[in-house]
């Protein structure tokens, strides 16, 4: 499973990249707004830090506006992927961008029917938001399983990005299902590494090492 970082913070992205385990970045308008900087220069900086795909979202709600934004955003760097919301106009835009060879990540997916249509439109990535489904007492991971079955049934090449991840178990379950990618907030990446027994074990080994005679 590939691991993306879900962040627009160059500081977090640099630190995560230092692990050598990060394959890409996803941003959204909320994450960009947190950085309090013009989005174009911020995205330029992020793309210079990461060789893999960097998702940047359009704001327009009409296909023609989305296409204008998408072409503008894709000029920022060769690794930009255009995030398009899963609405009717978004699907129209994805079809056109796919024909132009501009990569798309269809976002705000909450149902299998939406995911099926995104794949048919030619989306490179689909982003089901599992945490937000959990928030309203629906099992987000069930959606990932169903999308995977549908995509396997028809051999769609659209990659599943498990998004809106809130905790380490989301990542583990995504990997069990065989999702292509998890996009993970920085804090959860850190949680994935940590285990109290590992910390305790390291501490004990260091204490015992001190007891070993030096000669
Ligand atoms: O990748 C989508 C993600 O940024 C949304 O996460 O926690 O706002 O639902 P959240």
């Amino acid at each position: 499973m590939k691991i993306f970082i879900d962040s627009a913070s160059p500081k977090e992205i640099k630190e995560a990249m230092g692990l050598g385990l990060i394959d890409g970045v996803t941003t959204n308008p909320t994450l960009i707004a947190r950085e309090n900087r013009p989005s174009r220069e911020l995205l330029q900086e992020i793309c210079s830090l990461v060789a893999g795909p960097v998702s940047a979202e359009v704001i327009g709600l009409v296909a023609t506006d989305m296409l204008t934004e998408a072409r503008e955003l894709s000029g920022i760097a060769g690794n930009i992927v255009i995030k398009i919301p899963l609405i009717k106009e978004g699907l129209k835009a994805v079809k056109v961008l796919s024909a132009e060879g501009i990569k798309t990540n269809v976002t705000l997916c909450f149902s299998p029917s939406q995911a099926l249509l995104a794949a048919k439109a030619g989306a490179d990535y689909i982003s089901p938001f599992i945490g937000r489904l959990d928030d309203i007492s629906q099992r987000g991971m069930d959606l990932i399983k169903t999308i995977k079955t549908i995509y396997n049934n028809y051999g769609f090449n659209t990659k599943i990005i498990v998004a809106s991840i809130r905790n380490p178990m989301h990542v583990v379950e995504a990997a069990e299902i065989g999702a292509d990618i998890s996009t993970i907030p920085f804090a959860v990446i850190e949680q994935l590494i940590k285990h109290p027994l590992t910390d305790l074990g390291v501490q004990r080994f260091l204490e015992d090492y001190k007891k070993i005679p030096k000669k």
Side-chain angles (χ1 to χ4, degrees):
M1 183 176 67
K2 291 196 171 170
I3 294 180
F4 289 2
I5 177 167
D6 194 29
S7 173
S9 156
K11 183 173 173 286
E12 288 182 353
I13 293 166
K14 271 184 217 159
E15 199 170 333
M17 290 302 293
L19 290 170
L21 303 170
I22 303 299
D23 302 295
V25 176
T26 52
T27 71
N28 62 37
T30 305
L31 296 171
I32 298 262
R34 265 183 218 157
E35 298 306 303
N36 201 24
R37 282 173 59 184
S39 56
R40 193 182 167 88
E41 64 158 57
L42 179 59
L43 287 164
Q44 256 164 354
E45 183 177 349
I46 293 170
C47 288
S48 75
L49 299 172
V50 184
V54 173
S55 289
E57 191 157 342
V58 299
I59 299 303
L61 297 176
V62 177
T64 47
D65 294 342
M66 291 179 187
L67 290 171
T68 306
E69 276 183 76
R71 290 172 189 135
E72 153 74 13
L73 285 168
S74 66
I76 292 176
N79 53 342
I80 285 276
V81 172
I82 308 301
K83 240 177 164 183
I84 304 267
L86 216 163
I87 56 176
K88 206 191 288 180
E89 292 293 306
L91 292 174
K92 288 186 206 169
V94 169
K95 186 86 189 167
V96 174
L97 292 171
S98 166
E100 289 181 14
I102 294 178
K103 292 208 181 312
T104 55
N105 171 1
V106 177
T107 188
L108 289 165
C109 170
F110 293 98
S111 78
S113 60
Q114 289 181 315
L116 172 63
L117 295 182
K120 280 193 73 73
D124 294 281
Y125 302 94
I126 183 78
S127 289
F129 276 27
I130 53 131
R132 292 191 193 182
L133 283 171
D134 287 354
D135 288 346
I136 58 159
S137 305
Q138 291 185 21
R139 291 192 189 283
M141 277 303 159
D142 288 351
L143 175 59
I144 303 298
K145 283 184 204 154
T146 308
I147 296 173
K148 192 165 166 57
T149 303
I150 292 170
Y151 284 6
N152 284 346
N153 284 348
Y154 298 102
F156 286 122
N157 290 322
T158 308
K159 302 278 180 243
I160 302 172
I161 304 181
V162 181
S164 185
I165 280 178
R166 304 277 170 77
N167 60 60
M169 284 315 293
H170 278 154
V171 180
V172 172
E173 286 169 34
E176 271 184 329
I177 294 167
D180 301 291
I181 300 149
S182 280
T183 189
I184 314 176
F186 183 73
V188 178
I189 293 174
E190 291 199 304
Q191 286 177 313
L192 285 171
I193 301 165
K194 281 251 165 212
H195 197 288
L197 290 179
T198 306
D199 294 342
L200 191 61
V202 167
Q203 194 187 326
R204 274 194 203 152
F205 282 149
L206 283 178
E207 281 162 12
D208 290 341
Y209 175 78
K210 286 181 201 148
K211 296 175 196 159
I212 301 172
K214 297 296 172 271
K215 282 198 178 170

